Each structure stands twice: as structure tokens, then as C-alpha cells.
Amino acid sequence: MAYIESRTLFEVSEIIEFEEESLSIKLKNIKYCVLDYGDELCSQIPSSISHEVSEYTFTWVDFEHLQNLETPTDIQFHDEKLVIDGIDWDDPELPKEVIENLGPIDFVELGSDLEESYEHLDSIDYADFPKSLLPIIKRAIEEYRNYKTEQKI
């Protein structure tokens, strides 16, 4: 149920097996998503990403239907192959697209939240954040500083 309202940041599928005799394809699907619940690293950024790996077998009635990727006659989900876990932001296996697709982020709001948490923008300890997220954190601080200057706060 948690995945019903999740936001997928990156998803990829790959064919891992093709059986010409049975006209079936075994497919591995890998998904990285943000769940609506869980710990947050800071405002708008979860502490980790949900990582799901699943496998399916699709079977078609004839080669023409397979070739055109029409609706298969059978879909088998291999629940024994299902893996769901969390993955850290600095995990070397995390695709760069996950971070690129993290938005939309309200950088001014994030900067404000960081200032409130650390009591001052100059007190922010960058070591508290994964290295992969530092560009986002730094951009939020810069945009919030600019906002404060423009608003004369």
C-alpha cells in the first residue's frame, strides 16, 4: 500500500531472459521512489530512497503479438524475487537520475528550514548531509540568502 502514493524518481527495466519457444520474456524492473512516510533528512528530502527490484514473465500468443508488444496472454509476477529496501543517498549503486529527479524543491523554503534548524546559515554543518545532496543544500542556502536580501529580512 505504501507504493500507491509513492513518487518514482527513476525506473528502469531490462530483459533478463527471452524464450523463443514459449514466446516469453522475463523482465527485471528496478524502481527508486520516495514514500509518503518515513524519516526526513531535512525538509522536502527523505533520509533514504526506497529501492524495489521485481521480476515478471510476459507470455504472448504468437510472435507477431510479441513483436508489437501487444497485451500478453499471461503475466507472472515472481514474488520470490521481490526485493524492497532502502538505499542511501551516497550509495555508489544509486543512479544519478534519482537525485536529478528529486524535485520539485522549494529552495527558499528549504533554506529557511535549514536556517531555523541550525539557528544561522553560517552554522550549517555540511558533514550532516550526504555528499550527493550538497549541491541541493548549497543551492537552497544561496537562494534563501538572495531571497532575504531582496526582501530586506
Side-chain angles (χ1 to χ4, degrees), residues 16-30:
I16 54 176
E17 187 177 301
F18 171 62
E19 292 185 20
E20 193 169 353
E21 286 180 20
S22 63
L23 296 171
S24 65
I25 292 176
K26 186 179 266 188
L27 186 83
K28 179 190 279 187
N29 182 264
I30 303 168

Side-chain angles (χ1 to χ4, degrees), residues 81-145:
K81 300 281 188 169
L82 178 65
V83 175
I84 299 175
D85 57 4
I87 190 167
D88 293 326
W89 288 107
D90 282 338
D91 189 306
E93 298 295 316
L94 186 72
K96 67 180 179 3
E97 291 88 352
V98 172
I99 296 167
E100 291 170 358
N101 295 330
L102 183 58
I105 292 176
D106 183 334
F107 291 100
V108 172
E109 180 183 329
L110 177 55
S112 174
D113 292 345
L114 288 168
E115 180 180 52
E116 185 177 317
S117 295
Y118 286 88
E119 297 180 1
H120 195 279
L121 291 177
D122 293 332
S123 302
I124 294 172
D125 185 355
Y126 293 102
D128 291 346
F129 302 97
K131 289 178 181 154
S132 63
L133 295 178
L134 287 178
I136 292 170
I137 300 301
K138 289 178 179 180
R139 178 176 171 189
I141 292 166
E142 180 182 334
E143 287 196 22
Y144 183 61
R145 277 192 171 125

Side-chain angles (χ1 to χ4, degrees), residues 11-76:
E11 187 169 12
V12 64
S13 295
E14 60 185 59
I15 295 172
I16 54 176
E17 187 177 301
F18 171 62
E19 292 185 20
E20 193 169 353
E21 286 180 20
S22 63
L23 296 171
S24 65
I25 292 176
K26 186 179 266 188
L27 186 83
K28 179 190 279 187
N29 182 264
I30 303 168
K31 179 172 25 177
Y32 300 87
C33 59
V34 175
L35 303 178
D36 280 348
Y37 65 86
D39 296 331
E40 284 189 328
L41 183 65
C42 57
S43 143
Q44 306 177 60
I45 300 176
S47 59
S48 67
I49 295 297
S50 181
H51 174 238
E52 176 186 314
V53 180
S54 53
E55 288 186 16
Y56 302 86
T57 299
F58 299 90
T59 306
W60 284 267
V61 67
D62 59 37
F63 192 75
E64 185 178 330
H65 284 85
L66 166 63
Q67 212 171 13
N68 295 327
L69 291 178
E70 294 180 23
T71 304
T73 56
D74 185 43
I75 301 173
Q76 181 183 14

